[in-house]
C-alpha cells in the first residue's frame, strides 16, 4: 500500500475578531485573501510532495509572517512602549515535541525559531534576548527591530493609547482585551501529512498596546497550540489571557481524546468556556482521520483550508461560504 492516497489536510487562520465588512477596504480584503491562498498553496506543496506536517505548518505560517497584513512577523502590532514583541510556537503530534519563543524583537520568522527550539534544544520555551541569541546561533535570519514597523499598526497603537491610556491595571487590561476591533490577526496552521502525523503552529505580535512583559497564549503549549496524533492538532487566536486560563488547545484535545467529542463540538465547548469568562476568538482543528473544523465566536476569522484535491478555500466572515481561490 502506498501513502499517496492517504488524506492530507492543511487548515490556517489569520486571526479572529470583530472584523467589520463596512470597515474592511476592498484592497485590504484582496490582500488578506491573496495571502491566505498563497499560505495554503505553500503548505500544500510540502504535503503533496510527501513532506511532513511540521514542515507544512512552517511553510504556511512563514507566508503570513512575511505579509504586512497579519499580526505576526512583519506587520505585528505594537506594545504600549512602541515595540513589536513576537511570540510563536509549534508542536509535532507524532513525538509531542514542542518549541516556542516569546517577546522576541529581531527574529524575522519567529515560527522558525520555535521550530529550532523544538529540534535543536532540550527546551520548550525561550524568551527575549536569550531566544534571539539562540536563533542567531542557529543561523536564522535576524533583522533590525524596525523591520516589523508598519504605519497601519503604528496608527492603531496611537488610537489605542488615546482611548485607553496605559494598559496596566487589571480593569484596563480587561477592557482592552474585549474591545478587539482590528487588534487581532494572529496566524496559525494545523496539518495532517500522508503518514498520519499531525502538527500545529501559531505566531503573533500579541495585542495592540499590550503592557511590558505581557505574553499571551500563542507561545504556551496547551493554550495557543497543541498537537498529538492520538487526538488533534489545534491552533488558537483570540483574547490570550482567557485561552491560557481555559488551557484552550489542550482542553479541546482532551474532549476529543477522553470524551470522544467531535472536533467541532469540542472546539465550540472550549470557546463557550472562554466566552463565559469574557473572552473570544477562534480555533482551527484537524484530526488524524482528516476531519477539520474552523470554529469562532467572533464576527469573523480569516481562515482557509486545502486537502488532497489541491483546491484552496478561504473565508473571512461568519455568514459567508468559503470562497474557492485559484
Ligand atoms: N491570542 C493572541 C494573544 O493574546 C492574540 C490574537 O490571537 O489575536 O497574544
Amino acid at each position: 500500500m502506498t501513502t499517496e492516497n492517504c488524506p492530507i489536510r492543511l487548515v490556517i487562520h489569520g486571526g479572529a475578531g470583530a472584523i467589520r465588512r463596512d470597515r474592511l477596504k476592498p484592497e485590504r480584503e484582496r490582500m488578506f485573501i491573496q495571502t491566505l491562498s498563497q499560505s495554503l498553496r505553500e503548505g500544500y506543496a510540502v504535503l503533496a510532495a510527501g513532506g511532513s506536517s511540521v514542515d507544512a505548518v512552517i511553510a504556511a505560517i512563514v507566508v503570513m509572517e512575511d505579509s504586512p497584513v497579519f499580526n505576526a512577523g512583519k506587520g505585528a502590532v505594537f506594545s504600549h512602549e512602541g515595540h513589536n514583541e513576537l511570540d510563536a510556537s509549534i508542536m509535532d503530534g507524532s513525538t509531542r515535541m514542542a518549541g516556542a519563543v516569546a517577546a522576541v524583537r529581531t527574529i524575522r520568522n519567529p515560527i522558525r525559531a520555535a521550530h529550532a527550539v523544538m529540534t535543536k534544544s532540550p527546551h520548550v520555551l525561550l524568551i527575549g534576548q536569550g531566544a534571539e541569541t539562540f536563533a542567531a546561533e542557529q543561523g536564522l535570519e535576524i533583522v533590525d527591530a524596525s523591520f516589523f514597523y508598519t504605519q497601519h499598526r503604528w496608527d492603531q497603537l496611537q488610537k489605542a493609547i488615546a482611548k485607553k491610556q496605559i494598559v496596566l491595571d487589571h480593569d484596563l487590561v480587561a477592557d482592552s482585551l474585549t474591545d478587539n476591533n482590528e487588534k487581532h490577526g494572529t496566524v496559525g496552521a494545523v496539518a495532517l501529512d500522508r503518514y498520519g502525523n499531525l502538527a500545529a503552529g501559531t505566531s503573533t505580535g500579541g495585542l495592540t498596546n499590550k503592557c511590558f512583559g505581557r505574553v499571551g497564549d500563542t507561545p504556551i503549549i496547551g493554550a495557543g497550540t497543541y498537537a498529538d496524533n492520538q487526538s488533534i492538532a489545534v491552533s488558537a487566536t483570540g483574547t490570550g489571557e482567557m485561552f491560557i486560563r481555559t488551557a484552550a488547545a489542550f482542553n479541546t484535545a482532551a474532549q476529543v481524546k477522553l470524551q470522544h467529542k467531535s472536533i467541532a463540538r469540542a472546539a465550540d465547548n472550549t470557546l463557550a468556556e472562554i466566552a463565559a469568562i469574557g473572552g473570544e476568538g477562534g480555533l482551527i482543528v484537524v484530526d488524524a482521520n482528516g476531519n477539520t473544523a474552523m470554529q469562532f465566536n467572533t464576527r469573523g476569522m480569516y481562515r482557509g483550508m486545502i486537502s488532497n484535491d489541491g483546491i484552496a478555500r478561504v473565508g473571512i466572515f461568519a455568514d459567508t461560504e468559503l470562497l474557492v481561490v485559484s
Side-chain angles (χ1 to χ4, degrees), residues 15 28 42 49 68 104 140 150 242 245 259 295 315 321:
R28 215 166 149 76
E42 301 274 331
V104 296
L140 297 185
T150 55
M242 289 73 165
R245 289 163 58 196
Q259 299 182 319
Q295 309 303 111
E321 296 280 306

Side-chain angles (χ1 to χ4, degrees), residues 93-110:
S94 65
T95 56
R96 286 170 83 180
M97 300 242 301
V101 293
V104 296
R105 295 184 183 174
T106 61
I107 302 171
R108 175 172 174 156
N109 293 110

Side-chain angles (χ1 to χ4, degrees), residues 174 177-178 239 242 245 272-280:
L177 291 177
T178 45
T239 45
M242 289 73 165
R245 289 163 58 196
E273 281 184 41
I274 288 164
I277 57 170
E280 61 178 15

